[in-house]
Amino acid sequence: MRVGYFLAGYVMCHLDAFVLGGVPLPWVGLCVAMLACATGRLMPFHGLTLAFLVMTTLLTLATLVGEPGMVPGSYVALRLVNLAGFFMVVNFVTLQARSEFGAAQIEAAIVRIGVVCAVLALGVFLLHRFELGDLPRNRLGTAGLEQPIAFTFEIGDLSQRALGSFREPSFLAMALVLPLAIAVKKRQWISSAAIATAIYFTYSMGVLIGLMLSLAVTACFCLRPSHYPRYVAAAGLAVITLAILASGPSDNPFLMRLQHMASLDLIDTSRGYVYANLGLLQESFFLGGGLGHFEFALARELNLDLPVSTLNLFLAILAAGGVASLALLLPWFIRPNLLVSGYRRDLSVRESLLLLLPLNAFAVLYLTTFEELHIWHATALGLCLGRICQIRWGHNPQRQVSPNWAGLIGKPDQGRPTG
């Protein structure tokens, strides 16, 4: 029952282009998922839990002592809700995925949702291409104006991009990363093809680069030493092929954008306004300026009324909570790689790669495109940690208990083993 409510909230998070009663449906979906995920038990990864709680506390304290009146309370409240929702989803999915049945149930639903989302996106893409209409979008776009359905870059007009029920093509691509990895892992090739096609037609460079870099990093943690020569040869061939393709004339949107990006300095890119104003971080580098402080300071510097996104989660956390907060966030990206690498004997290379691929792709996307933690990442992380729990259960049943909040602060854990 609770898994069903969680999945209902998960589905609503895909309706990014719509509002209900003035409230964006993704926020409604996150709240529904949080209610479904509310539990008194903790996943058996106390180090990660403590790091997240301390980070959230530091961010809150930095916000309370920051410049008064600069950041609206509603803005801060939404960021704190997002942080709480991320942790609750990771915790819940991990607890559910400790059993093979629970993991299979969630994975099957995510693939189905991903296929529906991909087919809808491709259908809307065709509607846009042949000028046959659009979905009844009723939410403002990310720039605070009417949602665009045609997108133009420096290289020319790329008006036809898969968008689906999202406000931005990159949002759609990010939502489909986890379903694609699960579908490939389960060898569901038709579903994989549908999802991959939708990702391709988003023409999202961030997601493409994220997947490529993620595959390279993930392979380092998952491959056996005997596989290294083949991996190096394949990686070298891929780099050479890409360089050859990107060096000549092409009408492929990905290659055209890659050629254009390679010719720019950081300041000249679409993120240049952030890089040009990094000096605003000097005063808050160590202790942080509080949630939203850097975004509103950046807007003030650019003479804008709305907060400006940093398009970088790690930079946003550094600006809000200082170096300590960023250091406490990093284990959530590093630890899963170390865990999967440590259990390589119990996991096939294929499963290891596809467990970590979406996680490392999200890490790259947080560096290039997104400044807030997402439910897609939380679900992928929970499935990965749940799989680690399945392995540990087989090795040492006493470690697979259902820890409660008291266990986090050192009291005896009264939880009972669950499969």
Side-chain angles (χ1 to χ4, degrees):
M1 180 70 73
R2 295 179 64 187
V3 172
Y5 287 127
F6 162 71
L7 292 172
Y10 188 91
V11 169
M12 294 176 70
C13 290
H14 289 71
L15 304 176
D16 179 56
F18 306 95
V19 297
L20 179 64
V23 181
L25 279 178
W27 284 104
V28 177
L30 179 61
C31 291
V32 171
M34 289 174 67
L35 290 174
C37 295
T39 177
R41 294 183 298 169
L42 282 176
M43 60 183 182
F45 298 95
H46 290 176
L48 291 177
T49 300
L50 259 179
F52 199 87
L53 292 178
V54 175
M55 182 193 72
T56 305
T57 302
L58 291 178
L59 290 171
T60 304
L61 291 175
T63 304
L64 292 175
V65 301
E67 185 177 342
M70 182 177 182
V71 183
S74 58
Y75 185 95
V76 174
L78 287 175
R79 271 62 202 168
L80 291 175
V81 168
N82 183 70
L83 287 170
F86 177 82
F87 175 79
M88 292 174 70
V89 170
V90 174
N91 186 65
F92 176 78
V93 174
T94 300
L95 294 175
Q96 295 297 319
R98 290 183 304 172
S99 69
E100 291 185 7
F101 172 79
Q105 182 184 23
I106 294 175
E107 288 181 342
I110 288 174
V111 172
R112 287 195 293 269
I113 294 169
V115 170
V116 171
C117 184
V119 171
L120 174 64
L122 293 173
V124 174
F125 174 77
L126 292 176
L127 289 179
H128 293 170
R129 186 177 183 86
F130 295 104
E131 299 181 352
L132 297 176
D134 186 31
L135 298 177
R137 306 171 189 275
N138 62 350
R139 184 182 179 188
L140 292 178
T142 53
L145 304 173
E146 183 180 353
Q147 284 187 43
I149 59 174
F151 300 86
T152 303
F153 297 96
E154 299 89 340
I155 59 174
D157 186 11
L158 287 180
S159 57
Q160 286 81 37
R161 298 181 68 188
L163 188 64
S165 57
F166 290 83
R167 294 179 294 164
E168 295 278 352
S170 58
F171 295 177
L172 166 65
M174 185 182 190
L176 294 178
V177 167
L178 176 59
L180 176 62
I182 296 174
V184 173
K185 184 176 71 171
K186 293 182 173 294
R187 293 181 170 85
Q188 298 176 356
W189 303 122
I190 295 178
S191 298
S192 301
I195 297 170
T197 302
I199 291 176
Y200 175 83
F201 283 112
T202 64
Y203 299 129
S204 173
M205 282 299 299
V207 172
L208 175 66
I209 293 173
L211 288 171
M212 292 174 62
L213 290 179
S214 173
L215 183 60
V217 172
T218 301
C220 297
F221 287 96
C222 299
L223 295 181
R224 277 68 168 177
S226 60
H227 296 154
Y228 288 162
R230 282 180 291 174
Y231 167 66
V232 172
L237 180 61
V239 170
I240 293 172
T241 302
L242 184 62
I244 292 174
L245 291 174
S247 63
S250 173
D251 58 358
N252 181 277
F254 281 116
L255 294 176
M256 292 168 66
R257 294 190 66 191
L258 186 62
Q259 291 171 349
H260 179 74
M261 290 171 59
S263 66
L264 298 176
D265 295 326
L266 284 177
I267 300 298
D268 297 324
T269 65
S270 58
R271 275 69 170 166
Y273 66 90
V274 177
Y275 306 133
N277 291 281
L278 289 178
L280 297 173
L281 286 175
Q282 290 179 353
E283 296 181 0
S284 58
F285 183 80
F286 291 103
L287 299 179
L291 291 167
H293 180 273
F294 180 71
E295 289 82 354
F296 278 86
L298 191 57
R300 188 165 55 187
E301 188 73 17
L302 299 174
N303 296 317
L304 298 174
D305 296 327
L306 296 174
V308 178
S309 173
T310 62
L311 301 174
N312 187 317
L313 170 71
F314 304 104
L315 180 60
I317 294 296
L318 175 64
V323 176
S325 295
L326 179 60
L328 291 166
L329 176 67
L330 293 180
W332 283 75
F333 294 91
I334 299 172
R335 181 67 172 155
N337 286 278
L338 298 178
L339 286 169
V340 171
S341 178
Y343 286 104
R344 281 186 296 182
R345 293 183 178 179
D346 303 275
L347 296 165
S348 66
V349 172
R350 176 193 184 84
E351 185 179 12
S352 299
L353 283 169
L354 294 170
L355 277 174
L356 292 179
L357 182 67
L359 296 181
N360 292 324
F362 289 133
V364 177
L365 289 171
Y366 287 141
L367 275 171
T368 61
T369 309
F370 300 99
E371 67 170 358
E372 293 182 22
L373 293 164
H374 277 266
I375 191 172
W376 335 118
H377 176 212
T379 306
L381 183 54
L383 290 170
C384 179
L385 295 179
R387 182 68 180 100
I388 297 299
C389 288
Q390 291 179 25
I391 298 172
R392 284 183 172 178
W393 171 266
H395 291 307
N396 187 353
Q398 296 302 316
R399 299 181 67 180
Q400 290 312 304
V401 296
S402 300
N404 50 35
W405 288 92
L408 183 64
I409 58 177
K411 296 181 180 180
D413 191 341
Q414 302 300 320
R416 58 182 179 83
T418 57

